[in-house]
């Protein structure tokens, strides 16, 4: 096979498929060959240019005029006709939000919406996060065994996200199902039969988002980032547009919780599989923020992000033609030895862990990163204090098959309740 720039496709590039087991289990490991031999390659199966080295990914993120984010939420697997018909029935119209908006519209909008992310405003959410984690922990602490994903890792971040947005907390189970449908729809490869089911979920999510939005618009202004957006939409409808409001309402519910839920599960898995590191955190909780950051580098919850070339452009010595779709495997960049020493090691003392690409980079870098970090920190603080004897059970991890959002679907842990510090020393 030949790539769109006329160059031959190597056998490894031809064989690459992000929906195969190796990438699903460990995307950084699955692209080791690429980092070492062919850091920019065309994948005929995906129809994307794959970029795996840290410096190349950062260069793409840095230049968002040449490498537009407009395809960031595009369906990576095109819809079947049946699925399209379903979406049409729901009047589905997901369009630009922040993450997939080009300049200059993006910056004008982002600037209007920064108030909710000041350190003081974020810190004001901390007691609520801690309270939620404590209640969830109270419910299981005498049990001795639990799947932390099912018990709290998705529900707490979802509750925090809705609170942060000002969206009423209704039907959490349904919202979780919607989020899974959205992830599969955007980054998955559903079979033709699954496509219809996924489209139903996405269509319902779109309708639901519209209903919630209209309800919020009809009420006096409450607290939360969605209310900030509604207000800006009234004041500056050309900057914070109507279409933006509805699309954002749907996208942000997912962006604000699924990412954090998966990141927390990844972090607990990595730390508990290294009992000495876990013990060190229990003895020295001041190490927790650095440990969380290192987990975001080593096993982030967003592992790949997309751009499209707006002109012929060179990346790592390869010319990507205008219109070329690009998959930056940020998880691979985070394991690039040219930037991180012993990259496969989880080192909570690493001094440049914060350079990781899990939150993206440049003008679109994650706005909610400090909220996500805070939630991870609080989870770790509560568990290291209240269940230092926690152990990871032997288990097979499974992942929702997709290119970009990654974390185990379940995380089984066990502990001896008789050893709980609060029982020994109430
Ligand atoms: C953008 C990851 C949590 C809101 C992004 C991007 C990534 C990302 C990769 C795209 C960056 C780019 O294009 O350079 C994550 C991860 C999280 C997380 C790994 C948790 C561990 C959150 C939370 C919020 C949030 C809690 C809540 C408010 C946003 C927004 C953008 C964004 C609004 C778009 C920013 C823009 O385009 O200007 N995030 N995110 N994220 N994230 Fe997050």
């Amino acid at each position: 096979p030949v790539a769109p720039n006329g160059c031959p496709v190597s056998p490894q590039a031809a064989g690459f498929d992000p929906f195969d087991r190796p990438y699903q289990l460990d995307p950084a490991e699955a692209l080791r060959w690429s980092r070492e031999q062919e850091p920019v390659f065309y994948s005929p199966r995906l129809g994307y240019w794959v970029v795996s080295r840290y410096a190349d990914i950062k260069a793409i993120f840095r230049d968002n005029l040449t490498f537009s984010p407009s395809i960031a939420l595009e369906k990576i697997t095109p819809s079947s006709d049946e699925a399209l018909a379903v979406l049409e029935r729901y009047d589905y119209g997901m369009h630009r939000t922040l993450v997939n908006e080009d300049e200059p519209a993006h910056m004008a909008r982002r600037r209007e919406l920064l108030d909710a992310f000041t350190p003081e405003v974020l810190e004001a959410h901390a007691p609520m996060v801690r309270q939620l984690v404590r209640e969830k922990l109270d419910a299981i602490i005498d049990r001795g065994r639990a799947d932390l994903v099912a018990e709290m890792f998705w529900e707490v971040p979802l509750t925090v996200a809705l609170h942060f947005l000002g969206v009423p907390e209704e039907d959490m189970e349904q919202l979780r199902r919607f989020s899974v449908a959205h992830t599969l729809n955007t980054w998955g490869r559903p079979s033709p039969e699954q496509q219809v089911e996924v489209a139903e979920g996405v269509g319902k999510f779109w309708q639901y988002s519209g209903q919630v939005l209209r309800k919020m618009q009809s009420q006096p202004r409450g607290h939360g980032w969605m209310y900030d957006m509604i207000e800006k939409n009234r004041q500056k409808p050309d900057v914070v547009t109507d279409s933006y409001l509805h699309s954002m309402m749907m996208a942000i519910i997912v962006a604000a919780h699924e990412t954090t839920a998966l990141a927390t599960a990844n972090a607990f898995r990595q730390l508990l599989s290294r009992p000495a590191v876990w013990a060190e955190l229990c003895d020295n909780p001041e190490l927790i923020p650095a440990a969380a950051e290192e987990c975001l580098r080593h096993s982030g919850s967003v592992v790949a992000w997309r751009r499209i070339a707006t002109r012929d452009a060179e990346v790592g010595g390869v010319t990507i033609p205008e219109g070329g779709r690009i998959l930056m495997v940020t998880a691979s960049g985070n394991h690039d030895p040219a930037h991180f020493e012993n990259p496969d090691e989880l080192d909570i003392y690493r001094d440049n862990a914060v350079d990781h690409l899990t939150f993206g980079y440049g003008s679109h870098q994650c706005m909610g990163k400090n909220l996500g970090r805070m939630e991870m920190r609080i989870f770790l603080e509560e568990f290291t204090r209240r269940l230092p004897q926690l152990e990871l059970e032997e288990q097979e991890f499974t992942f929702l098959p997709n290119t970009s959002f990654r974390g185990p679907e379940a995380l089984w842990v066990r502990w001896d309740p008789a050893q709980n510090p609060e029982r020994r020393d109430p």
Side-chain angles (χ1 to χ4, degrees):
V2 174
N5 63 356
C7 293
V9 173
S10 71
Q12 265 156 319
F16 174 74
D17 187 337
F19 298 101
D20 277 352
R21 223 174 127 72
Y23 183 98
Q24 289 304 312
L25 289 184
D26 188 344
E29 189 54 38
L31 281 160
R32 181 184 295 277
W33 68 271
S34 163
R35 282 194 300 284
E36 289 172 358
Q37 299 161 34
E38 199 186 351
V40 180
F41 67 90
Y42 182 74
S43 160
R45 290 205 193 171
L46 202 58
Y48 272 72
W49 295 86
V50 179
V51 181
S52 62
R53 278 191 190 160
Y54 184 88
D56 293 335
I57 294 174
K58 213 161 178 175
I60 294 173
F61 269 129
R62 200 176 276 131
D63 183 355
N64 64 343
L65 300 179
T66 306
F67 303 105
S68 158
S70 59
I71 63 160
L73 301 181
E74 190 176 278
K75 292 156 71 77
I76 204 159
T77 304
S79 290
S80 63
D81 289 345
E82 289 94 328
L84 278 177
V86 171
L87 290 173
E88 215 162 285
R89 193 149 44 72
Y90 286 101
D91 215 6
Y92 179 67
M94 168 71 109
H95 199 51
R96 299 301 180 93
T97 61
L98 275 168
V99 82
N100 57 355
E101 182 64 283
D102 283 311
E103 304 305 341
H106 162 259
M107 259 309 162
R109 192 176 288 163
R110 178 164 166 134
R111 222 172 280 126
E112 292 295 333
L113 298 171
L114 280 171
D115 292 353
F117 297 94
T118 61
E120 305 80 64
V121 176
L122 287 183
E123 208 39 53
H125 294 294
M128 178 251 319
V129 178
R130 197 174 296 279
Q131 181 65 26
L132 285 168
V133 175
R134 284 195 178 158
E135 284 168 10
K136 290 290 180 194
L137 201 39
D138 288 342
I140 61 163
I141 197 148
D142 290 323
R143 224 187 270 171
R145 182 169 189 259
D147 166 10
L148 295 181
V149 173
E151 295 294 341
M152 63 185 90
F153 284 170
W154 71 267
E155 197 178 328
V156 171
L158 179 55
T159 311
V160 173
L162 295 178
H163 190 94
F164 173 81
L165 297 170
V167 172
E169 287 163 35
E170 284 165 15
D171 211 346
M172 307 282 273
E173 286 284 350
Q174 171 170 270
L175 275 179
R176 192 188 185 202
R177 283 197 304 277
F178 283 167
S179 297
V180 169
H182 176 70
T183 300
L184 286 175
N185 185 54
T186 313
W187 297 289
R189 188 189 283 164
S191 65
E193 306 81 66
Q194 278 175 323
Q195 283 235 11
V196 172
E197 196 187 314
V198 165
E200 283 285 344
V202 170
K204 290 204 177 90
F205 193 7
W206 177 252
Q207 251 181 5
Y208 173 88
S209 309
Q211 282 159 9
V212 174
L213 180 61
R214 280 191 295 278
K215 192 163 146 195
M216 290 174 77
Q217 281 172 316
S218 70
Q219 285 167 352
R221 181 174 178 168
H223 286 290
W225 197 37
M226 274 315 299
Y227 282 109
D228 295 359
M229 295 187 207
I230 290 169
E231 188 61 26
K232 294 284 178 185
N233 170 251
R234 286 198 184 112
Q235 293 166 0
K236 300 185 180 178
D238 51 330
V239 178
V240 179
T241 59
D242 290 345
S243 153
Y244 164 80
L245 268 194
H246 192 168
S247 294
M248 189 63 173
M249 184 75 191
M250 177 164 153
I252 193 63
I253 290 176
V254 181
H257 100 269
E258 194 77 10
T259 50
T260 309
L262 298 171
T264 306
N266 288 334
F268 272 76
R269 175 187 172 189
Q270 294 304 329
L271 293 168
L272 289 171
S273 62
R274 294 167 178 80
V277 179
W278 178 260
E280 204 173 348
L281 288 188
C282 295
D283 292 340
N284 306 286
E286 69 282 1
L287 295 174
I288 285 175
E293 206 65 36
E294 172 66 350
C295 289
L296 284 164
R297 180 199 69 84
H298 184 278
S299 282
S301 51
V302 175
V303 295
W305 210 246
R306 289 179 286 169
R307 293 289 187 261
I308 184 167
T310 58
R311 57 173 176 83
D312 291 1
E314 200 214 280
V315 178
V318 173
T319 301
I320 297 183
E322 180 180 346
R325 288 176 154 68
I326 302 171
L327 185 75
M328 301 173 283
V329 184
T330 44
S332 171
N334 287 345
H335 284 251
D336 185 342
H339 196 84
F340 299 103
E341 207 177 321
N342 297 325
D344 302 330
E345 210 170 283
L346 187 88
D347 174 6
I348 62 174
Y349 295 100
R350 188 183 293 281
D351 58 13
N352 67 347
V354 71
D355 290 352
H356 68 73
L357 301 167
T358 302
F359 291 123
Y361 179 74
S363 57
H364 285 268
Q365 198 187 42
C366 180
M367 288 172 87
K369 62 184 181 179
N370 290 329
L371 184 56
R373 284 171 169 146
M374 179 215 286
E375 292 182 58
M376 292 174 74
R377 170 172 64 79
I378 291 175
F379 267 119
L380 287 167
E381 284 171 358
E382 292 298 315
F383 271 87
T384 50
R385 188 168 56 79
R386 298 181 69 187
L387 285 181
Q389 77 278 34
L390 198 65
E391 286 174 20
L392 194 63
E393 281 196 355
E394 196 65 39
Q395 63 202 291
E396 281 251 347
F397 293 104
T398 59
F399 302 88
L400 189 70
N402 79 97
T403 56
S404 296
F405 277 25
R406 179 170 186 278
E409 289 178 303
L411 190 85
W412 283 97
V413 292
R414 63 165 177 256
W415 65 96
D416 175 5
Q419 300 291 317
N420 289 356
E422 49 209 68
R423 273 206 205 173
R424 282 184 282 130
D425 185 15

